[in-house]
């Protein structure tokens, strides 16, 4: 199942710099791991914001929920999720 996910990040500006650096390094490692596994299909930065728009391919909403909770930056995110399905006019649906 495909999901469109927007993640807006708000890391506290007064977070200890070493804690922040570790947090960002762990987030990057987790994102790369999920992309290499084919779960995090697309990852796009939103220009001018500390945000991204992503597409995930997971079995269901529960799997997505668990995945999002596994992200180190999750406690600092506002997340909007939209389930996706094939469009009948998409080229992939009309070979």
């Amino acid at each position: 199942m495909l999901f469109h996910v927007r993640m807006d990040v708000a890391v506290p500006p007064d977070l200890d710099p070493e804690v922040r650096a570790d947090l960002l390094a762990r987030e990057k490692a987790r994102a790369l791991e999920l992309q290499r596994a084919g779960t995090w299909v697309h990852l796009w930065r939103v220009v001018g914001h500390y945000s991204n728009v992503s597409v995930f391919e997971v079995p269901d909403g529960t799997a997505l929920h668990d995945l999002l909770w596994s992200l180190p930056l999750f406690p600092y995110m506002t997340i909007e999720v939209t389930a996706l399905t094939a469009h009948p006019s998409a080229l992939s649906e009309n070979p």
Side-chain angles (χ1 to χ4, degrees):
M1 189 168 187
L2 293 175
F3 291 91
H4 169 275
V5 180
R6 175 166 174 150
M7 294 177 251
D8 297 305
V9 183
V11 177
D14 60 345
L15 190 64
D16 179 273
E18 289 181 20
V19 172
R20 180 186 178 95
D22 177 66
L23 180 65
L24 296 178
R26 289 187 296 116
E27 180 75 17
K28 181 176 183 176
R30 181 69 174 134
L32 291 170
E33 173 188 6
L34 292 168
Q35 289 173 79
R36 288 183 179 119
T39 304
W40 200 325
V41 180
H42 294 281
L43 173 56
W44 298 96
R45 175 175 284 170
V46 178
V47 175
H49 298 271
Y50 193 174
S51 304
N52 74 71
V53 173
S54 297
V55 175
F56 291 91
E57 186 167 5
V58 293
D60 54 35
T62 299
L64 179 64
H65 178 84
D66 292 344
L67 181 154
L68 293 172
W69 274 72
S70 78
L71 298 174
L73 281 174
F74 178 81
Y76 307 105
M77 291 181 183
T78 301
I79 300 173
E80 182 180 318
V81 176
T82 304
L84 301 173
T85 190
H87 193 287
S89 295
L91 185 58
S92 61
E93 298 298 309
N94 298 278

